Amino acid sequence: MDRAPRPLDRIDGVILRLLQDDGRMSVRGVAERAHISRANAYARISRMTEDGIIRGFTALIDHERAGMGTSAYLTLRIVQHSWRTLRRRLSALNCVEHMALVSGDFDVLLLVRTVDNRELRELVLGRIQSMPEVLDTHTLLVFDETDRRPVPPVL
C-alpha cells in the first residue's frame, strides 16, 4: 500500500459506523442498512480494506467480565532515542492494550489491563520500571471508562 487512500464519502462513513458497531455484520446487512446494493457494499468494504482504512475486524470485550478488572494508564519518561527498542519490549507484554509516543511532560502513554492491583503492581514495579529505557513512571488507575469509536470525517 504505497499510495494514499482514496477519499471517503458519506456512504463510506455509514459503512464504517455499521462495521464498528458490529464487525460481524454481513455484506447484505451492511447494504440494507446503508441503502445500497450488495455489490456496492462489497466493493466499498474491499476498497477500504485494500486502502488500509479498515485494518481488521475484532470483538469488543468487556474486560472486567473477561477477568481483566484493573485498568490503568501509565505515563513513562524514557531515555532519548530509545522508543523503537522500548516499543518492542512493551509489545511483548500481553497486558499492554495501547501504547503511544507523545509530546509533553512524559514520553509514552500506555493503557494496560491486569487481573487485579497485585498484577498491576508487578507489571509496573517489576517489569516496566526494570527496563533500561524507562527513567520514570506514573500510574493513573481507571475507575470507570466509556468507549467511543470515532469515524473519520467524510464529505
Side-chain angles (χ1 to χ4, degrees):
M1 180 179 67
D2 294 339
R3 59 178 170 67
R6 291 162 274 197
L8 300 178
D9 63 16
R10 186 187 65 74
I11 297 296
D12 293 328
V14 169
I15 291 170
L16 290 173
R17 282 183 192 89
L18 290 169
L19 291 175
Q20 279 184 316
D21 288 341
D22 181 2
R24 295 177 59 181
M25 184 179 289
S26 68
V27 173
R28 179 180 177 181
V30 169
E32 288 173 358
R33 304 252 331 254
H35 306 291
I36 58 176
S37 70
R38 277 187 284 182
N40 190 357
Y42 181 83
R44 286 171 178 268
I45 293 168
S46 294
R47 174 182 48 84
M48 288 187 283
T49 302
E50 289 170 13
D51 286 351
I53 294 164
I54 297 174
R55 298 186 309 174
F57 299 87
T58 188
L60 298 176
I61 298 169
D62 182 318
H63 298 285
E64 193 168 342
R65 286 178 170 229
M68 302 297 276
T70 298
S71 300
Y73 286 95
L74 306 179
T75 64
L76 313 178
R77 282 191 323 107
I78 64 173
V79 173
Q80 191 171 7
H81 304 295
S82 66
W83 169 239
R84 286 185 179 91
T85 302
L86 181 62
R87 181 175 51 199
R88 280 192 295 278
R89 289 184 200 273
L90 294 170
S91 294
L93 301 174
N94 291 334
C95 53
V96 175
E97 181 173 317
H98 180 81
M99 67 180 93
L101 181 65
V102 297
S103 64
D105 293 337
F106 49 88
D107 304 305
V108 177
L109 179 65
L110 303 177
L111 172 58
V112 300
R113 300 192 189 275
T114 60
V115 172
D116 55 23
N117 286 351
R118 178 176 291 164
E119 186 178 344
L120 177 62
R121 182 180 65 236
E122 173 55 31
L123 172 69
V124 175
L125 301 178
R127 301 189 74 189
I128 293 176
Q129 286 184 355
S130 69
M131 294 178 180
E133 300 84 6
V134 176
L135 299 172
D136 184 43
T137 66
H138 186 80
T139 303
L140 304 162
L141 197 57
V142 174
F143 295 124
D144 192 20
E145 60 188 320
T146 301
D147 289 329
R148 296 200 64 238
R149 297 173 307 278
V151 174
V154 292
L155 302 173

